[in-house]
Amino acid sequence: MLKDITLGQFFPGNTLAHRLDPRTKLMVTVLYIVALFCAKSFVSYGVMALWLVTAVQVSKVGYKALVKGLKPVWFIIVFTAVLNLIYIKGTPLVTIWKFTIYREAVETAVFMILRIAMLIMGTFLLTYTTSPIRLTDGLETLLSPLKKLHAPVHELAMMMAIALRFIPTLIEETDKIMSAQKARGADFESGGLLQRAKALIPILVPLFISAFRRADELATAMECRCYSGGEGRTKLHVLRFAAKDYLVLALAAVLTAAVIVLGRMGL
Amino acid sequence: MIEIKHLRYAYPAVEGQEPAAVLEDVDLHIEKGSFTAILGHNGSGKSTLAKLLSAVLLPSGGEVLVDGLSTAEEKNIMEIRRRVGMVFQNPDNQIVANVVEEDVAFAPENLGVPAEEIRARVDEALAAVGMEAFRLHAPHLLSGGQKQRIAIAGVLAMQPEVLVLDEVTAMLDPEGRREVLETVHRLNRERGMTVLLITHHMSEVEKADRVIVMEQGRVVMDGSPKEVFPRVEELRRLSLDVPGTVDLLYELRRIGWDVPLDALGVDECADAICKFLQ
């Protein structure tokens, strides 16, 4: 069950999508999300789909992995679609029992499904093709102007990197604790919601205690390796924009602009 | 190299209790290029000593000097930590990054070393522990011994003067233990790295130049393995094992055989017994 968590997963590779500067990928993702929220017609959604498909093709990440990322949110997708179907009024299309479904409602529901699905697939593509360290490096550099406002940008990036580093370790630990509790007769599978939630306590307590102990030891180990915050730190991999980064950024900007203009034209 | 003078340490008092003294009047001098093992069972103060060496803890009395720099002075702390490479028991809790080379680069990055030199240091440190092939691997997929070698590479990248290993083999399987110890001995032999190995496994200290035995915050024995191990009764009283060879010779002596007690190696021990039998 825990092995299914895809958050922050990274598929190493050597495609253009992998080699781009993480800052480029972050900015392209932001542009992609903006464009996605500006898309209001089948034409503009077509442009967005083209964008996504091109990115997926370039990155050579399988569609299977992308669709798998949708699994945890299918309920939200269906829920929003159904709500849209019920509440939006306009030209009647069909009437089933007491409910009349309108043409506009179907349209909005379809757009909603597309929007959420494409949003998630797009952002997953970013984490699939960018190693967490590069991602946090990129984020730190992009947000570094905020350091002037005394925002703890380095600290946040470091926290994110460490959190991502410890996800597999903590998952492994949770599995171990679960096995240990099962061996002593704990039951996690039966009973109602409340009972199951209660059964989680004997897992969470040791997990938290161990996480705190790990944090303490890690902090000591980091100090012993001369860590003293972001001041005066250098990097093994220096981020550099190349021609391909400017090209990809320009392309993403053009596509976003196109979608916005299409939206203004009512398409 | 390292000078410890009248070192005392007590953990801060918990309300209503006397401060618990962990180290009392420890005097030691660690030579450059030496391989020193510190032995002692749980609670003997050996891990506290390690933390005092890298200025994680500060002395309650006396002083610790690393290359003449006192750990008590705030301005020396970074330089001392760079010179004293600390490796701890649990490799999972020392690895910061999710790519091996990124983790090894952590310390030089903190020190503000330029990018090209970090690259060189990382490659060199990984080669020194024999892990070059795993440069781009994810640490959580490696074995315990491999992770611990990465942790060692991580401190080697600081170019330290001394390597302090605090029970680094305690969580490893026999194979991992052998790997790590071999690496450490090779670093000492080939690069002249000063090593301070803290452990409670007797078998790990046979090849050390010097053995220091600690008990209740004091140094109770200090000498070469050949001087320390024959003191079988004393070691047993401190609930420490003796190497198998010494144990055998000790038992033989008890039944009246005239064999020396300081034949530590297996071959040496066999020779000693043959000599007696002839």
Side-chain angles (χ1 to χ4, degrees):
Chain A
M1 162 192 105
L2 292 164
K3 298 262 145 63
D4 288 341
I5 296 176
T6 42
L7 176 79
Q9 204 175 15
F10 165 56
F11 296 123
N14 195 23
T15 65
L16 174 68
H18 288 84
R19 284 193 313 260
L20 280 177
D21 188 293
R23 287 171 295 179
T24 311
K25 283 188 267 186
L26 276 164
M27 285 191 276
V28 168
T29 308
V30 170
L31 284 173
Y32 170 82
I33 293 171
V34 168
L36 203 52
F37 277 89
C38 294
K40 287 192 181 69
S41 67
F42 282 107
V43 180
S44 39
Y45 271 100
V47 175
M48 294 311 296
L50 197 69
W51 185 344
L52 184 65
V53 167
T54 317
V56 176
Q57 288 297 337
V58 168
S59 70
K60 292 195 183 134
V61 170
Y63 286 95
K64 225 178 174 179
L66 278 177
V67 174
K68 206 177 140 204
L70 288 178
K71 227 165 76 184
V73 289
W74 70 266
F75 180 75
I76 299 175
I77 296 180
V78 171
F79 189 68
T80 32
V82 169
L83 276 189
N84 276 308
L85 275 183
I86 294 171
Y87 284 106
I88 292 177
K89 308 258 181 297
T91 358
L93 201 63
V94 278
T95 306
I96 307 160
W97 187 42
K98 274 184 202 162
F99 295 104
T100 312
I101 291 176
Y102 303 92
R103 212 174 66 88
E104 283 80 0
V106 175
E107 222 169 70
T108 322
V110 169
F111 285 162
M112 223 25 142
I113 293 171
L114 281 175
R115 182 176 290 171
I116 300 176
M118 284 165 77
L119 182 74
I120 288 165
M121 290 199 273
T123 40
F124 265 77
L125 200 58
L126 173 71
T127 59
Y128 282 164
T129 57
T130 321
S131 88
I133 292 265
R134 307 254 301 151
L135 200 59
T136 43
D137 265 7
L139 209 58
E140 189 180 345
T141 337
L142 273 183
L143 295 178
S144 58
L146 293 179
K147 275 183 191 160
K148 292 210 176 70
L149 303 170
H150 299 288
V153 174
H154 165 77
E155 285 75 6
L156 282 175
M158 185 53 109
M159 268 163 55
M160 203 172 126
I162 289 175
L164 289 169
R165 144 79 185 84
F166 274 90
I167 285 174
T169 310
L170 290 178
I171 287 178
E172 203 178 297
E173 181 134 34
T174 314
D175 268 346
K176 247 186 236 169
I177 296 172
M178 276 175 93
S179 309
Q181 306 289 33
K182 272 185 198 157
R184 285 184 250 167
D187 180 8
F188 304 119
E189 266 102 42
S190 59
L193 199 61
L194 195 68
Q195 218 171 347
R196 280 202 210 186
K198 268 188 181 163
L200 284 178
I201 295 174
I203 298 174
L204 291 179
V205 171
L207 189 65
F208 267 78
I209 292 174
S210 125
F212 279 115
R213 205 179 43 234
R214 279 180 195 282
D216 184 45
E217 279 180 30
L218 182 71
T220 310
M222 283 170 73
E223 278 195 325
C224 283
R225 286 164 79 185
C226 301
Y227 180 70
S228 60
E231 205 76 10
R233 257 188 128 235
T234 45
K235 290 274 176 197
L236 171 63
H237 297 296
V238 183
L239 299 180
R240 263 190 213 100
F241 277 125
K244 56 178 183 284
D245 291 296
Y246 292 113
L247 212 70
V248 170
L249 262 179
L251 194 63
V254 168
L255 281 169
T256 309
V259 170
I260 292 172
V261 170
L262 281 173
R264 280 286 160 85
M265 285 158 59
L267 271 170
Chain B
M1 173 80 251
I2 293 180
E3 198 79 54
I4 298 170
K5 289 182 193 157
H6 304 293
L7 179 64
R8 272 194 316 106
Y9 185 78
Y11 278 105
V14 188
E15 216 174 313
Q17 277 178 18
E18 288 285 297
V22 190
L23 292 176
E24 280 179 80
D25 204 26
V26 174
D27 268 300
L28 284 174
H29 174 78
I30 308 290
E31 300 269 348
K32 199 172 173 63
S34 66
F35 193 116
T36 309
I38 298 186
L39 271 170
H41 62 81
N42 294 340
S44 59
K46 56 191 196 307
S47 289
T48 309
L49 183 63
K51 287 192 176 136
L52 283 153
L53 292 180
S54 60
V56 175
L57 299 174
L58 297 177
S60 322
E63 60 177 348
V64 177
L65 300 173
V66 177
D67 283 335
L69 300 170
S70 166
T71 58
E73 275 176 62
E74 182 77 37
K75 64 173 176 24
N76 290 342
I77 286 185
M78 273 303 147
E79 188 51 31
I80 285 172
R81 287 190 180 148
R82 189 195 67 75
R83 289 179 194 214
V84 182
M86 288 281 290
V87 184
F88 297 95
Q89 190 176 44
N90 189 340
D92 275 326
N93 298 352
Q94 317 173 49
I95 293 173
V96 193
N98 14 20
V99 182
V100 165
E101 66 169 12
E102 297 271 3
D103 184 72
V104 177
F106 181 70
E109 284 178 345
N110 290 336
L111 293 165
V113 173
E116 311 82 65
E117 204 196 321
I118 297 182
R119 179 84 264 161
R121 283 193 188 195
V122 168
D123 291 346
E124 209 222 311
L126 282 172
V129 297
M131 291 290 289
E132 321 82 313
F134 296 87
R135 205 164 60 87
L136 296 174
H137 279 236
H140 71 272
L141 299 175
L142 300 177
S143 76
Q146 289 173 326
K147 279 191 246 185
Q148 205 56 291
R149 276 149 72 198
I150 295 302
I152 294 174
V155 301
L156 284 180
M158 298 193 290
Q159 304 185 330
E161 310 280 329
V162 49
L163 210 53
V164 180
L165 307 155
D166 186 5
E167 303 225 33
V168 287
T169 58
M171 298 183 75
L172 305 182
D173 54 12
E175 176 60 25
R177 236 163 84 181
R178 199 186 49 74
E179 254 173 58
V180 169
L181 286 172
E182 252 170 37
T183 307
V184 173
H185 276 287
R186 206 182 52 240
L187 288 170
N188 173 252
R189 218 171 39 236
E190 289 170 11
R191 291 161 185 255
M193 178 67 73
T194 315
V195 175
L196 205 63
L197 178 75
I198 296 170
T199 179
H200 58 255
H201 284 292
M202 269 293 166
S203 55
E204 291 177 7
V205 306
E206 282 165 38
K207 286 189 214 143
D209 301 328
R210 177 181 175 195
V211 181
I212 293 166
V213 181
M214 293 191 62
E215 168 68 12
Q216 294 193 323
R218 289 171 196 279
V219 173
V220 289
M221 289 184 214
D222 184 351
S224 70
K226 277 189 190 290
E227 286 160 13
V228 169
F229 289 129
R231 296 158 78 174
V232 177
E233 283 101 359
E234 276 175 84
L235 288 169
R236 291 239 165 100
R237 222 175 304 127
L238 301 172
S239 25
L240 289 169
D241 290 329
V242 292
T245 47
V246 177
D247 197 21
L248 174 65
L249 294 168
Y250 176 75
E251 293 300 328
L252 289 174
R253 274 172 83 100
R254 289 224 315 200
I255 59 166
W257 292 29
D258 181 29
V259 284
L261 260 182
D262 61 357
L264 292 181
V266 174
D267 291 338
E268 211 182 330
C269 173
D271 285 347
I273 295 172
C274 287
K275 213 163 134 197
F276 170 74
L277 290 175
Q278 280 164 9

